[in-house]
Each structure stands twice: as structure tokens, then as C-alpha cells.
Amino acid sequence: MGDKSYPHETIAWAKQRLDELDAIISEVEKTSKDLSGSVRAEADAALARLEASRVGLQKSYDALRTETEDLKRTAEDVQNALDDEWVEVETSFQSFLGALADQADTVRGIVAARVEAQRQAWDNSLKGLRDQAAETVDQARGDLDAAIKRLSDEADTFQARIGEVKDARDASWEAVKSGLAEAKAVHDRTIDKIKGAFAKLF
């Protein structure tokens, strides 16, 4: 069941990145207005790359949404075809039972066999769901606890780095930026792991 939510999780993730990139572009544009010379040229070049990345991300995001909608329509078409075929099954079955109207014991046996097959299928389905739910809940709980601890540890580490270099320049600032990028990467991986654990539940 978690597989069904995967495209939606990816769409949500891509939308978050687009929103984040929009915020970055907006701030770069504001800041660039006050720059001049070679610094302005570098800022403009970076802004152009950001805007090109924005176009690429938007294209991928739109393609994913289109593919997801196409897949949904295909699944609906298949479901409709199955439903139509099942109407034929039911119609044929009822016609058969109608032909046996004067043979009540035979009809009763056929209907009882069908009910037993349905009950067995439901029991198997419920057992599978129960087993999967129990396993998934245990796994998700462990993954979630480990991911939250890791995220908390990384946040503490990063906060300590910020405190050490709040008045820093150049090399120290590069270390802070690197630490921020590293913490963000860990954060993203951790959030993905948490989402994956929750997705297994649904």
C-alpha cells in the first residue's frame, strides 16, 4: 500500500524544493540589486543558473504530475473494465442459477461454495494485512526513533558550530556553510526515512 503514496510523496517533495528555490531566487534578486562590479557579475551568473535549475525542476515536477495522472486514469480504466467484466460474470451466474430453479439443493451447494470461496479470500486478505501491519508498525517505530535521534544529534552539532563561529569570516564561514549543507543533507535523508516509515503504514 505504501507504493500507492510514493508518487504523491515525490510530488510533495518536488513542490517543497520548488518553493524553496523560489525563496532563494527572490532573496538573490533582492541582494543583487545592491551589488556592483565583479561581485554583481558573479551574482547574476549564479542567479541565471538558479533560474535554469528552476526551469528544469518545474519540467520534472510537471512531468511527474502528468505521469501520475496518466497512471491514475489507466488504473481507473482497468478497474472499469474489471467491473464491466464482473457484471457479465454475475449476469451469467444468475442465469445459470435461474436455469436450476427447480433444483434447490444444487443451487444451495453452488451458492455455499461461492460464499466459502469469498470468506476464504477475505480471511487470507485480512491475515495478510494484519501481518503486514504488525511488521510495518514495528519497523516504522524503529526507523522513526533512529531517524529522530539522528536528526536531533545533527541539529545539536550544527548549533554548536554556529555558536563557535558567529563572528567568523572567510574560512570559518565556509566551514559553517559546509556544515549547513551537510546538516541539510542529513535532515533531508532523515525526513525521507521518516516519510518512508509512515508510508509503509498506509
Side-chain angles (χ1 to χ4, degrees):
M1 288 187 198
D3 290 347
K4 289 182 183 177
S5 67
Y6 179 75
H8 302 292
E9 291 292 335
T10 305
I11 288 169
W13 178 88
K15 180 68 169 85
Q16 289 171 354
R17 293 306 179 267
L18 282 169
D19 291 345
E20 183 178 343
L21 183 52
D22 285 342
I24 291 169
I25 288 172
S26 176
E27 288 305 311
V28 169
E29 286 173 340
K30 287 179 197 172
T31 304
S32 294
K33 291 177 184 175
D34 298 330
L35 302 176
S36 61
S38 63
V39 175
R40 174 66 184 258
E42 286 180 30
D44 288 345
L47 181 59
R49 289 195 308 273
L50 287 168
E51 289 170 340
S53 293
R54 173 70 170 80
V55 170
L57 277 173
Q58 184 69 51
K59 192 179 295 185
S60 295
Y61 174 74
D62 292 342
L64 180 60
R65 288 190 61 186
T66 299
E67 287 175 23
T68 301
E69 285 302 314
D70 290 347
L71 183 60
K72 182 179 174 186
R73 277 193 293 278
T74 300
E76 288 170 355
D77 291 345
V78 170
Q79 182 65 52
N80 289 337
L82 289 169
D83 289 343
D84 290 346
E85 196 58 45
W86 195 252
V87 168
E88 181 61 28
V89 168
E90 289 292 348
T91 302
S92 300
F93 183 62
Q94 294 305 319
S95 294
F96 177 75
L97 293 180
L100 299 175
D102 59 345
Q103 300 178 35
D105 288 343
T106 303
V107 170
R108 194 176 301 115
I110 293 169
V111 172
R114 179 183 184 179
V115 168
E116 177 58 24
Q118 288 175 335
R119 189 192 65 77
Q120 188 61 47
W122 293 339
D123 286 349
N124 291 341
S125 182
L126 285 173
K127 182 184 182 310
L129 286 172
R130 280 191 196 104
D131 292 347
Q132 183 184 5
E135 181 182 327
T136 301
V137 166
D138 289 344
Q139 179 67 40
R141 186 178 294 121
D143 289 350
L144 184 61
D145 290 346
I148 288 174
K149 181 178 183 335
R150 176 112 189 246
L151 184 59
S152 177
D153 291 348
E154 287 297 326
D156 290 345
T157 300
F158 182 69
Q159 188 62 41
R161 285 183 190 162
I162 291 288
E164 291 170 7
V165 292
K166 58 183 171 184
D167 295 325
R169 297 178 192 212
D170 299 336
S172 295
W173 176 240
E174 288 303 318
V176 170
K177 287 196 299 187
S178 174
L180 177 59
E182 182 183 321
K184 182 168 178 17
V186 169
H187 173 268
D188 289 347
R189 286 193 304 272
T190 303
I191 293 301
D192 286 345
K193 195 167 187 178
I194 291 169
K195 285 180 181 177
F198 279 124
K200 290 178 189 174
L201 297 174
F202 304 104

